[in-house]
Amino acid sequence: MLKLIYKSLAKLEDFLLAVLMISSASMIVIQIIARSLFDYSFVWAEEFVRYAIIWMVFIGSGVAVRTQRHISIDVIKNILPLKLACAVNILLLLMSMAAAGLLLIYGKDLVVTMQKFGQLSPALEAPMYWFYLSIPISGGLMFIHLAVHLLAQTKALLTGQIKPQPSEVNHAI
């Protein structure tokens, strides 16, 4: 059941990223055509693209954690014995989970504060807290993905299969 939920979450992330990319690229092309051919500009288009890119970055950070595509320095882990490297990796995952948890908690507080202010975006006239929601959502996504990686690393350490492949991460649940 948890595997199905996790796979569904991954598909939702990928779908949202695709929708945001396509809509942003389309809006940029439409804006260029409107300006060039019709001497007309959509007032809200650039703001829409800006906020779509912000959402892409924050959702994409969760996807990068899920697919293990974030930048990492592996020099020390590569020279350590396998068990010790796995233990170091578990420690790093726990520290990353703490950072993601802080992003989730303080991002939520920021969203609540922005909601109280009732500020609207200048061109779209949408509530600003909608755009700030990307912060705690990103923290939550990263926390979930890091927890799955932590389970996989812990399982690998306990069973002696020290270096799980990225495809095995989904089997930790």
Side-chain angles (χ1 to χ4, degrees), residues 102-118:
L102 290 173
L103 196 61
L104 174 64
I105 292 165
Y106 288 111
K108 178 199 64 81
D109 292 345
L110 180 61
V111 169
V112 169
T113 301
M114 293 305 294
Q115 192 173 15
K116 287 178 186 174
F117 287 146

Side-chain angles (χ1 to χ4, degrees), residues 152-172:
Q153 284 294 306
T154 305
K155 181 179 176 182
L157 186 61
L158 295 175
T159 62
Q161 299 171 345
I162 300 298
K163 286 196 171 187
Q165 298 299 315
S167 63
E168 291 178 342
V169 168
N170 292 333
H171 300 295

Side-chain angles (χ1 to χ4, degrees), residues 28-113:
I28 290 170
V29 169
I30 290 168
Q31 183 77 332
I32 291 169
I33 292 170
R35 283 184 181 173
S36 301
L37 299 179
F38 305 111
D39 199 29
Y40 180 78
S41 176
F42 296 100
V43 178
W44 50 268
E46 291 167 15
E47 188 175 289
F48 170 80
V49 171
R50 181 180 325 120
Y51 291 130
I53 290 171
I54 289 169
W55 271 94
M56 278 189 274
V57 167
F58 279 102
I59 292 173
S61 65
V63 172
V65 170
R66 173 174 42 102
T67 58
Q68 298 179 331
R69 302 276 168 110
H70 271 291
I71 296 172
S72 68
I73 301 172
D74 296 334
V75 174
I76 294 174
K77 286 193 286 184
N78 289 341
I79 60 173
L80 293 174
L82 290 178
K83 284 190 178 187
L84 187 57
C86 188
V88 167
N89 201 33
I90 288 172
L91 178 65
L92 293 172
L93 286 166
L94 288 169
M95 290 170 41
S96 297
M97 285 177 71
L102 290 173
L103 196 61
L104 174 64
I105 292 165
Y106 288 111
K108 178 199 64 81
D109 292 345
L110 180 61
V111 169
V112 169
T113 301

Side-chain angles (χ1 to χ4, degrees), residues 137-156:
I137 288 173
S138 172
L141 291 173
M142 287 190 287
F143 191 88
I144 289 167
H145 297 310
L146 288 164
V148 170
H149 290 307
L150 180 64
L151 285 172
Q153 284 294 306
T154 305
K155 181 179 176 182

